[in-house]
Amino acid sequence: MTNSKEADPHPSRWRRFLQYIEVPTDPGVPNTSWVNRDLIPMPKERRTYKIWSYFIYWCISGLCISGYTTGSTLLAYGLDATQAIVSLVIGGLIVGVLCVTCGWMGERHHIGFTVACRFSWGMRGAYFPVIVRAFVIIFWDGLQAYWGGQAVAVTIGAIIPGFAHMKQTLAGGILLTKDFIGIIIYYIFFIAIMRIPPERLQKPFIVSSVMFSATLIGLLSWAVSNTHSGGPLFQEQASPIHGGTGWAMLFGITAILGAWGGGTIGQSDWTRYANRPYAPTLSQLIAAPFCIIVCATIGIIVTSCAQEIVGSLIWEPFLLLAALQNYYNDSPKVRAAIFFAGLGCVCAQLGISIVLNSLSAGMDLSGVVPRYINIRRGAYLLAFLGLASNPWQYLSNASIFLTVLSGFGIFFAPFSGILLADYFVVRRCMIKLEDCYIGDKRSIYWYHNGVNWRAPLAWVLGVFPTMPGLIMTTRDPTSWNVWVRIFHIAFFVGLLISFVAFSVICWVSPPGNVGIGVLYHEENSFEVEGELEAEEKEKGPV
């Protein structure tokens, strides 16, 4: 096959540089404007994830610091602790079902979200959902890294009490110096772990899930043994801030779906590594809701008991650990426990950053510039941009920023609705895989100039009803009207409207490329070499 590195016998210095920085290739898989080794349907030798692998995956996705703090959102809607747990059960079960449906194309066709968008949005139109997801992930990754850095600082402070009590600040007093040191150390570990290919991350994932599980068990044991109850939060009465208890629970369920919205839409990024059909399904239906429910419930109980013990309501576990070191006056035994618990928090942040942020954003950036960016390079770029976003700055005005950042979920839900409608309703799970990698009129997914107009129209219809509420809430967090109410159930509204709209639009105006392709990826059903070689010869060198 002709490779771009061999196409020109006398390339210029600039072209030699471009050829030098191209990502590594596999035999028969060239680097083009549409494909590299990380974007093709996952080859059999790289499909290494078994049933237990996906249970571990959900131990990381569900048992995480973000999941631990979910209760703060539910209680903020005025629910009592029991109602919050009921909302967790319902929301967790729905998340499990969504994970199965969103991950089905990865399990059957071994492609991720980045490539799946091409048959729904068109070869060029797919850039839009991919770039939007990558943009949002940059800020979430910065936030996760900031929390990870704080967890590292707590861990070091348990060994060196003087480090824990450092008061020096940076960035105009917003960022503690010890936290910045923690962030740098956190990123060193992150970069080292990301050198491991995704198909070989099972063992690091086991370490991460075991360490944070031990942290949760330790915190729960400490909290309950000291209070012999669930703490004051379980004694408070429900006081819904807007409307009745039913609305408050619906808002809480939607918040849970929104929190894991990025994880559900990106399920195919991981299910494509399944070594056999249905390997991810059991863990998605059982482990996903179980881990989400257990982690958030533990978070509510520990936070409630800690309020009674230390006198403060602290939702982040690493901040609670720092408070406990002060509360017990740097006791050596307590510092030893805090060291291991803090290490568990660090492992949890590393795991969740890789599972929900790095691999997905790496694939998205790879889909934009596949010749020069693969998953690993994309993850490194994400880490740089996440640090450059200065998360300590936007968290200094957290109420407004987090409202806006959470509001980006109104874009994710319609993406999911369109993808599910196209894959299950319109195409009945039949995809012509090779055409997802041809960027011209030869591809049946080229549509009109590379864009399937049906997808943007359905997306706008799904986003429009929730946008006014986002704007009103950002301007005035106390505002309450029908638009704000719709915004608080944005995931349901956006998903359902875009799903129905796309299905109806395709019924009225069929795309014309339906019923072509295969129902599942077989090793001999996808030939990347022949088609792409013709493309390479047609376009010439870089």
Side-chain angles (χ1 to χ4, degrees):
M1 160 169 279
T2 301
N3 194 316
S4 61
K5 294 185 179 181
E6 304 172 353
D8 188 350
H10 303 289
S12 65
R13 182 175 300 178
W14 173 246
R15 292 197 177 187
R16 286 200 302 270
F17 172 74
L18 292 179
Q19 292 168 3
Y20 177 76
I21 64 173
E22 282 190 17
V23 298
T25 62
D26 282 347
V29 184
N31 295 326
T32 74
S33 300
W34 303 100
V35 64
N36 62 33
R37 71 182 298 271
D38 287 337
L39 293 176
I40 63 172
M42 191 56 56
K44 186 175 182 179
E45 62 272 13
R46 297 178 63 189
R47 299 202 295 266
T48 59
Y49 279 63
K50 303 176 183 179
I51 293 177
W52 66 266
S53 306
Y54 288 102
F55 274 91
I56 297 299
Y57 168 94
W58 273 106
C59 285
I60 292 177
S61 296
L63 302 177
C64 60
I65 293 177
S66 300
Y68 180 97
T69 60
T70 300
S72 63
T73 302
L74 303 180
L75 297 181
Y77 283 122
L79 298 174
D80 62 31
T82 303
Q83 293 167 345
I85 293 173
V86 172
S87 299
L88 282 168
V89 172
I90 298 173
L93 292 172
I94 297 175
V95 167
V97 173
L98 282 173
C99 286
V100 172
T101 54
C102 290
W104 197 256
M105 64 196 69
E107 182 181 334
R108 305 300 289 180
H109 288 93
H110 303 124
I111 57 175
F113 171 81
T114 307
V115 174
C117 287
R118 294 175 179 177
F119 61 75
S120 294
W121 288 75
M123 297 298 293
R124 288 176 174 167
Y127 287 133
F128 177 70
V130 163
I131 291 174
V132 168
R133 187 174 73 151
F135 177 78
V136 176
I137 288 178
I138 288 171
F139 292 97
W140 275 121
D141 189 72
L143 174 62
Q144 298 288 358
Y146 182 53
W147 283 357
Q150 289 181 301
V152 170
V154 170
T155 305
I156 297 175
I159 303 174
I160 310 172
F163 185 86
H165 300 298
M166 284 179 61
K167 302 299 181 183
Q168 292 87 345
T169 61
L170 301 170
I174 296 175
L175 175 64
L176 290 172
T177 302
K178 63 178 182 180
D179 289 342
F180 182 74
I181 295 172
I183 292 172
I184 299 302
I185 296 173
Y186 171 87
Y187 270 124
I188 291 173
F189 281 105
F190 171 81
I191 291 172
I193 294 174
M194 277 310 301
R195 290 195 59 81
I196 304 173
E199 60 266 27
R200 298 179 184 173
L201 281 170
Q202 292 97 323
K203 290 182 179 179
F205 284 172
I206 292 175
V207 173
S208 175
S209 58
V210 169
M211 290 294 294
F212 191 62
S213 297
T215 297
L216 293 177
I217 294 172
L219 284 172
L220 182 63
S221 300
W222 164 82
V224 175
S225 64
N226 278 275
T227 61
H228 304 289
S229 67
L233 292 181
F234 282 84
Q235 300 170 8
E236 295 181 3
Q237 299 296 316
S239 55
I241 56 174
H242 298 295
T245 301
W247 274 106
M249 292 186 69
L250 182 59
F251 297 155
I253 293 169
T254 306
I256 295 168
L257 298 178
W260 274 272
T264 56
I265 196 175
Q267 275 295 286
S268 58
D269 295 337
W270 287 98
T271 57
R272 69 193 190 117
Y273 289 97
N275 68 336
R276 67 177 182 82
Y278 309 112
T281 306
L282 189 62
S283 65
Q284 290 168 327
L285 290 175
I286 297 177
F290 175 79
C291 292
I292 291 171
I293 294 164
V294 168
C295 186
T297 302
I298 291 176
I300 294 172
I301 295 173
V302 172
T303 303
S304 177
C305 295
Q307 183 182 19
E308 180 177 329
I309 298 170
V310 303
S312 301
L313 192 65
I314 305 174
W315 282 102
E316 293 82 1
F318 50 86
L319 296 182
L320 175 60
L321 293 174
L324 291 180
Q325 184 167 336
N326 289 328
Y327 181 78
Y328 289 103
N329 299 316
D330 292 327
S331 163
K333 292 183 179 179
V334 171
R335 287 194 291 114
I338 289 174
F339 170 78
F340 288 106
L343 193 59
C345 291
V346 174
C347 290
Q349 285 305 101
L350 288 169
I352 199 68
S353 292
I354 292 171
V355 165
L356 294 186
N357 296 336
S358 302
L359 185 131
S360 296
M363 276 196 61
D364 289 342
L365 296 173
S366 177
V368 175
V369 194
R371 195 186 295 271
Y372 304 107
I373 298 181
N374 54 16
I375 289 177
R376 180 183 296 172
R377 292 183 185 180
Y380 291 161
L381 180 58
L382 171 70
F384 172 78
L385 295 175
L387 181 61
S389 70
N390 295 337
W392 48 89
Q393 291 284 356
Y394 54 70
L395 283 176
S396 65
N397 193 1
S399 59
I400 294 178
F401 177 79
L402 291 179
T403 297
V404 175
L405 194 57
S406 300
F408 276 112
I410 70 176
F411 304 138
F412 283 1
F415 288 151
S416 299
I418 292 169
L419 204 58
L420 293 177
D422 192 27
Y423 187 70
F424 288 104
V425 177
V426 178
R427 303 188 186 281
R428 306 295 175 90
C429 305
M430 186 170 289
I431 305 298
K432 189 177 181 184
L433 287 170
E434 55 268 29
D435 280 30
C436 292
Y437 302 92
I438 302 174
D440 55 40
K441 294 180 180 179
R442 291 175 298 148
S443 172
I444 63 174
Y445 305 122
W446 186 248
Y447 299 101
H448 181 69
N449 291 326
V451 178
N452 179 13
W453 60 269
R454 301 163 186 82
L457 177 58
W459 183 82
V460 170
L461 293 174
V463 169
F464 173 76
T466 57
M467 185 63 75
L470 171 62
I471 297 172
M472 294 175 186
T473 303
T474 304
R475 291 181 174 178
D476 180 12
T478 63
S479 61
W480 186 252
N481 52 47
V482 64
W483 293 111
V484 175
R485 184 173 295 185
I486 292 174
F487 168 66
H488 281 288
I489 55 173
F491 194 91
F492 285 115
V493 173
L495 180 75
L496 293 175
I497 290 180
S498 60
F499 184 93
V500 173
F502 190 85
S503 301
V504 171
I505 292 170
C506 289
W507 177 70
V508 174
S509 177
N513 54 13
V514 177
I516 303 174
V518 294
L519 290 172
Y520 56 91
H521 168 225
E522 294 179 344
E523 298 310 308
N524 59 353
S525 66
F526 174 76
E527 293 292 340
V528 66
E529 186 166 352
E531 292 287 347
L532 291 176
E533 185 171 3
E535 181 182 0
E536 287 288 286
K537 289 180 178 179
E538 180 180 329
K539 293 185 177 181
V542 179

